[in-house]
Amino acid sequence: MSLLSAHALATGYPERVLVRELELRIEPGQTWAVLGNNGSGKSTLLLTLAGLRPALRGEIQLSGRVLSAFAARARARHLGLLLQEDPCAFWGSVREYVLLGRYPHRRSLWGWSDGDFAQADAAIAQVDLDGRAQRPLNALSGGERQRARLAMMLAQSPHVLLLDEPLQHLDLRHQRDVLALLGKWADSSARAVCMSLHDPWAARRFCTHAVMLFDDGRWRAGPVEALLDDASLERLYGFPLSGWLGAAQGAPGRHV
């Protein structure tokens, strides 16, 4: 059974359809990249898959059930969404912030359990912030805050993570480390990740599957080794790559 699937899905606005008749099946262990130009509908697709934006047409299923059948807290135990920007100011520590990811699992009105603290601390260590756990979140750099946001998603521990540009603000080392971490998280725990990326080389190297969103509403989806060749990417982005992708080191498929 697919963890998350879309059937005949159309996303966008009444005056402009961004994605038409999408068929998507995200299975356990897979890491998906969503690729396309600015304005092609990557963020809108992720918001729609998360149930935060209504679809124009079609159906979304989460773990075999229609997405709309889930109450908000139950949905959050199955599905996590990282937005491009965090709209809320937070004045507590990094650890307190990451603990917010445990809210869907919280069973007591009196505070966090030892298991919640353990999950949060493990997530903080996974994103290389264990030395900053007690620092105020707003005292961190932009890249460190982004890693704290990713740690909160990992602490939430859903079946599927939807991540909108998770690499923004990260330096090259942490981009590599985060991509490797997400691939390992999905593969080792039979979960799945679907994230928008701007770098097709990163998608080719670290992801198992990709969905390409063209500017006219068309799409292509499948394993990266069958999808992300020079010719397909030139059609997607609208300019000649001149062998740039083929010159990148590493074979297609996930490398962690």
Side-chain angles (χ1 to χ4, degrees):
M1 180 176 62
S2 301
L3 294 179
L4 185 66
S5 61
H7 308 282
L9 185 69
T11 68
Y13 308 88
E15 65 276 11
R16 184 192 173 198
V17 178
L18 294 172
V19 181
R20 303 175 186 273
E21 304 300 318
L22 176 66
E23 297 289 334
L24 190 66
R25 301 182 70 90
I26 299 177
E27 308 287 350
Q30 293 178 348
T31 304
W32 283 75
V34 183
L35 303 174
N37 289 316
N38 291 340
S40 61
K42 298 186 296 296
S43 297
T44 300
L45 174 60
L46 292 175
L47 286 168
T48 305
L49 290 174
L52 297 185
R53 185 177 186 87
L56 298 178
R57 292 181 298 278
E59 181 180 84
I60 300 167
Q61 291 190 358
L62 178 61
S63 298
R65 294 174 56 195
V66 176
L67 182 63
S68 59
F70 285 83
R73 189 168 176 181
R75 183 186 302 177
R77 290 194 289 268
H78 289 264
L79 187 65
L81 173 67
L82 180 76
L83 301 171
Q84 283 191 34
E85 302 294 339
D86 190 343
C88 299
F90 186 83
W91 302 100
S93 70
V94 171
R95 193 189 199 208
E96 290 168 332
Y97 179 74
V98 174
L99 276 166
L100 296 178
R102 298 300 303 160
Y103 178 76
H105 306 277
R106 188 170 175 173
R107 297 183 178 181
S108 172
L109 297 175
W110 309 109
W112 304 109
S113 69
D114 290 343
D116 292 326
F117 285 117
Q119 289 266 23
D121 291 340
I124 290 168
Q126 285 177 302
V127 299
D128 192 28
L129 284 177
D130 39 341
R132 295 167 173 79
Q134 300 305 324
R135 292 186 62 183
L137 181 74
N138 60 11
L140 301 185
S141 70
E144 290 169 334
R145 285 197 300 274
Q146 182 70 357
R147 281 148 53 201
R149 298 177 70 222
L150 289 164
M152 183 171 66
M153 293 288 97
L154 295 173
Q156 184 178 332
S157 194
H159 297 155
V160 182
L161 278 177
L162 302 175
L163 309 174
D164 197 2
E165 296 190 25
L167 303 185
Q168 62 179 344
H169 308 306
L170 299 184
D171 57 39
L172 286 176
R173 177 172 72 88
H174 285 109
Q175 288 184 34
R176 178 204 63 189
D177 290 350
V178 162
L179 288 170
L181 169 63
L182 292 172
K184 184 177 180 181
W185 181 87
D187 190 43
S188 64
S189 58
R191 302 184 186 196
V193 175
C194 182
M195 55 186 162
S196 63
L197 295 174
H198 284 294
D199 186 348
W201 174 84
R204 180 183 168 100
R205 183 167 177 80
F206 289 97
C207 296
T208 63
H209 292 72
V211 54
M212 305 166 71
L213 303 183
F214 294 86
D215 293 338
D216 59 1
R218 292 179 300 116
W219 56 272
R220 291 184 64 200
V224 295
E225 62 269 19
L227 205 64
L228 302 188
D229 55 54
D230 283 4
S232 296
L233 288 167
E234 287 177 358
R235 289 193 295 271
L236 177 67
Y237 293 112
F239 72 96
L241 297 179
S242 302
W244 168 76
L245 184 65
Q249 294 181 355
R254 182 190 295 146
H255 294 258
V256 296

